[in-house]
């Protein structure tokens, strides 16, 4: 198939090859490379993979300051406006420029991460200090789109001069990617809290619940280790095992994010909004009878259903602040989805935006996701800030794309490793409600990330 032009979009075919990471290895020497990928072919969200690099603009937020660097001129501007407002300025939304004959999830725009504390800049720094920005987003004028349903790969260019298109195509066709040393740990993962300390924090949350401060609080512990070698090597090895439908890899100099999320945060397609919170977890078992029993226990658990329903109500409220009046509804409640190492209880809520450019207001209104804060959200976040001793960084934030037509998909950045130089960090958490049991909650935090820590 030859290239197709539509307005200021050009869609150029590439060979459909697997794994798609072969394309990423050819572009990762460029600035701010990012790969949004998926496993678990049975999952309905595993159709596309999106790869990009060399953005036109790079947005970085530290505290209340967002810097915007024009990568062509090298000039940098700074703003103290809401980061999502700054992003909207550099990723304008238009209803035009949809390439006819191609179903593209992304046609150029923003890709990056939004850290948990992005809208909470007053939170004090905690040790170990992780020096990644609170937001890191590139504005990309091209991307490689791999479509596993149609078995096609295309590179889409938006407002790209012919010379730049030829340069990118030459890079993609150059199969001499640099080899890096294999990833390895130089120390074991150590938690920032002991089990006894975790249980003390758990009991404090139970007290808050009994005192009427909140109904549910997500409590996490952070594991840290020393490391060396190639972060992409670690990501590709772990994704083969995790098969995460909302996985992502992003690197910026000696910092990288390795995300194996099973959870969608917000999706927008032609103004239609979907969010799919996870609340409720059981471990998988190699024994079929035990595995089926664990799944049945999750399906019938009144505690997990109540916990899930609390977050459904929270997200209905968040969506209702931005979506068209009367459009918000619950499509599915308490659906069990099975992953490599755990079963999860998932619900689906939907709504409709009045205008495509409301996508930024939607993200700001819902951020961070209710499934990883608690209810009510603000009070739950205050309690998290009081009790957790390590900043969450990208963990429990979101990795997302937002294109120039107002389409978006994003994850909740759980099952996430954050590398900062020769240190790597991973968090495990869970929601605590009135009838939670401390030992079980502690074990759940381990079950969720054991597949990552053990295989590193």
């Amino acid at each position: 198939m030859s290239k197709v032009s539509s307005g200021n979009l050009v869609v150029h075919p590439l060979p459909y090859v697997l794994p798609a990471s072969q394309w990423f290895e050819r572009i990762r020497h460029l600035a701010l490379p990012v790969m949004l990928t998926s496993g678990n072919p049975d999952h309905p969200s595993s159709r596309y993979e999106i790869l990009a690099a060399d953005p036109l603009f790079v947005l970085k937020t530290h505290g209340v300051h967002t810097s915007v660097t024009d990568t062509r001129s090298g000039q940098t501007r700074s703003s103290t406006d809401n980061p999502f407002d700054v992003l909207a300025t550099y990723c304008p939304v238009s209803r035009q420029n949809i390439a006819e004959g191609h179903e593209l999830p992304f046609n150029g725009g923003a890709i990056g991460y939004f850290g948990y504390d992005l809208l909470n800049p007053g939170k004090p720094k905690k040790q170990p200090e992780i020096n990644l920005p609170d937001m890191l987003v590139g504005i990309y004028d091209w991307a490689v789109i791999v479509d596993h349903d149609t078995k096609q790969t295309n590179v889409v260019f938006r407002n790209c001069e012919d010379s730049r298109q030829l340069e990118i195509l030459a890079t993609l066709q150059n199969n001499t990617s640099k080899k890096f040393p294999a990833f390895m740990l130089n120390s074991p993962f150590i938690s920032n809290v002991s089990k006894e300390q975790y249980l003390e924090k758990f009991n404090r949350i139970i007290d808050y619940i009994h005192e009427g401060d909140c109904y549910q609080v997500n409590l996490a512990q952070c594991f840290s280790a020393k490391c060396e070698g190639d972060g992409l090597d670690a990501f590709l090895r772990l994704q083969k095992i995790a098969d995460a439908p909302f996985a992502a890899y992003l690197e910026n100099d000696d910092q990288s994010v390795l995300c194996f999320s099973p959870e969608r945060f917000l999706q927008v397609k032609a103004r239609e909004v979907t969010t799919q919170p996870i609340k409720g977890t059981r471990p998988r078992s190699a024994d079929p009878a035990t595995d089926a029993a664990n799944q049945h226990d999750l399906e019938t658990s009144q505690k997990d259903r109540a916990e899930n329903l609390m977050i459904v109500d929270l997200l209905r409220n968040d969506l209702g602040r931005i979506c068209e009046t009367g459009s918000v509804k619950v499509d599915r409640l308490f659906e069990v989805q099975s992953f490599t190492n755990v079963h999860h209880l998932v619900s689906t809520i939907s709504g409709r935006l009045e205008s495509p450019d409301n996508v930024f207001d939607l993200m700001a209104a819902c951020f961070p996701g209710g499934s990883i804060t608690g209810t009510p959200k603000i009070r739950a976040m205050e309690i998290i800030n009081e009790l957790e001793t390590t900043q969450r960084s990208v963990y429990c934030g979101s990795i997302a794309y937002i294109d120039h037509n107002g389409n978006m998909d994003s994850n909740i950045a759980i099952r996430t490793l954050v590398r900062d130089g020769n240190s790597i960090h991973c968090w495990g958490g869970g929601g605590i409600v009135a009838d939670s049991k401390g030992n079980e909650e502690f074990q759940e935090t381990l079950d969720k990330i054991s597949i990552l820590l053990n295989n590193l």
Side-chain angles (χ1 to χ4, degrees):
M1 182 186 297
S2 61
K3 72 178 182 180
V4 176
S5 299
S6 178
N8 55 10
L9 282 184
V10 174
V11 180
H12 195 291
L14 296 173
Y16 178 74
V17 295
L18 296 178
S21 58
Q22 294 177 56
W23 297 115
F24 185 77
E25 290 173 354
R26 299 181 188 186
I27 64 173
R28 67 179 299 203
H29 66 282
L30 302 174
L32 202 58
V34 60
M35 175 168 55
L36 309 181
T37 184
S38 55
N40 194 349
D42 297 328
H43 195 281
S45 297
S46 291
R47 176 175 178 178
Y48 295 109
E49 300 188 66
I50 301 174
L51 306 87
D54 192 27
L56 297 177
F57 298 95
V58 175
L59 285 68
K60 294 182 181 180
T61 302
H62 293 273
V64 299
H65 297 278
T66 298
S67 66
V68 181
T69 300
D70 182 330
T71 60
R72 299 300 173 264
S73 69
Q75 295 182 338
T76 297
R77 300 177 179 179
S78 183
S79 173
T80 57
D81 292 342
N82 183 300
F84 291 109
D85 292 338
V86 179
L87 177 59
T89 300
Y90 287 88
C91 185
V93 168
S94 168
R95 301 188 188 194
Q96 301 175 350
N97 307 317
I98 298 174
E100 296 179 3
H102 289 271
E103 187 176 349
L104 297 172
F106 178 80
N107 60 28
I111 309 177
Y113 73 71
F114 307 88
Y116 172 82
D117 289 310
L118 178 62
L119 300 183
N120 184 27
K123 179 178 177 180
K125 293 289 185 182
K126 298 184 176 183
Q127 296 298 325
E129 186 170 326
I130 301 167
N131 294 311
L132 274 70
D134 297 316
M135 179 180 79
L136 178 60
V137 174
I139 306 298
Y140 298 88
D141 59 345
W142 66 272
V144 175
I145 311 292
V146 182
D147 186 337
H148 295 300
D149 281 7
T150 63
K151 292 182 169 46
Q152 292 181 336
T153 301
N154 291 289
V155 55
V156 56
F157 299 99
R158 181 186 181 89
N159 289 330
C160 279
E161 296 180 356
D162 289 346
S163 60
R164 179 161 167 79
Q165 294 181 38
L166 292 173
E167 179 183 345
I168 297 302
L169 288 171
T171 300
L172 289 166
Q173 291 162 4
N174 182 3
N175 194 17
T176 57
S177 53
K178 180 182 177 181
K179 301 300 181 183
F180 295 86
F183 179 89
M184 63 181 295
L185 294 178
N186 291 330
S187 72
F189 277 100
I190 302 296
S191 175
N192 65 320
V193 295
S194 65
K195 182 176 181 180
E196 290 73 19
Q197 291 170 326
Y198 176 91
L199 293 176
E200 288 177 4
K201 298 173 190 298
F202 169 89
N203 289 329
R204 186 70 189 106
I205 290 172
I206 295 298
D207 289 341
Y208 276 128
I209 292 173
H210 289 161
E211 292 164 5
D213 282 62
C214 52
Y215 304 102
Q216 180 181 158
V217 175
N218 184 284
L219 180 65
Q221 57 177 317
C222 177
F223 297 82
S224 301
K226 296 297 182 182
C227 66
E228 63 179 85
D230 186 13
L232 179 62
D233 171 57
F235 175 80
L236 296 176
R237 283 163 41 197
L238 291 175
Q239 176 63 352
K240 285 182 181 179
I241 301 166
D243 274 343
F246 301 104
Y249 180 79
L250 181 151
E251 63 183 18
N252 182 41
D253 297 327
D254 65 347
Q255 298 176 331
S256 54
V257 177
L258 300 73
C259 182
F260 308 92
S261 175
E263 182 173 357
R264 167 173 279 143
F265 180 30
L266 295 165
Q267 181 188 51
V268 180
K269 294 176 65 176
R271 295 195 291 136
E272 298 294 332
V273 181
T274 301
T275 184
Q276 295 178 294
I278 287 176
K279 271 299 166 194
T281 304
R282 293 294 185 278
R284 299 296 305 269
S285 173
D287 175 61
T290 302
D291 194 56
N294 288 349
Q295 178 174 336
H296 178 73
D297 183 54
L298 178 59
E299 288 175 325
T300 57
S301 168
Q302 293 301 311
K303 170 190 174 293
D304 288 288
R305 285 175 169 243
E307 188 176 340
N308 191 289
L309 189 60
M310 290 181 195
I311 302 305
V312 168
D313 284 341
L314 187 155
L315 283 167
R316 285 174 60 215
N317 179 70
D318 283 350
L319 262 61
R321 295 162 57 191
I322 304 299
C323 291
E324 290 180 346
T325 302
S327 71
V328 177
K329 60 183 184 296
V330 178
D331 300 282
R332 291 187 297 277
L333 265 178
F334 313 141
E335 176 186 16
V336 174
Q337 293 184 5
S338 297
F339 299 88
T340 303
N341 62 322
V342 291
H343 301 288
H344 277 315
L345 204 60
V346 184
S347 292
T348 301
I349 307 107
S350 63
R352 182 174 176 82
L353 297 180
E354 293 183 358
S355 171
D357 57 7
N358 290 146
V359 64
F360 302 103
D361 295 331
L362 176 72
M363 191 70 158
C366 297
F367 192 85
S371 64
I372 44 73
T373 55
T375 56
K377 182 186 288 188
I378 293 176
R379 183 63 183 124
M381 291 180 68
E382 290 173 348
I383 294 170
I384 290 168
N385 186 40
E386 172 194 333
L387 297 178
E388 292 188 5
T389 59
T390 299
Q391 63 196 107
R392 289 188 171 186
S393 185
V394 183
Y395 172 68
C396 288
S398 180
I399 299 172
Y401 71 76
I402 304 173
D403 78 3
H404 289 291
N405 292 124
N407 297 315
M408 171 174 70
D409 210 352
S410 60
N411 70 13
I412 295 287
I414 52 176
R415 319 291 194 273
T416 295
L417 295 143
V418 171
R419 183 177 185 177
D420 187 9
N422 64 354
S423 296
I424 191 164
H425 311 275
C426 184
W427 295 255
I432 296 169
V433 294
D435 53 354
S436 295
K437 295 178 174 59
N439 287 327
E440 294 178 2
E441 294 294 336
F442 180 82
Q443 185 60 44
E444 182 178 312
T445 68
L446 304 180
D447 291 340
K448 289 175 175 176
I449 58 172
S450 61
I451 188 173
L452 303 181
L453 303 193
N454 293 344
N455 284 287
L456 281 184

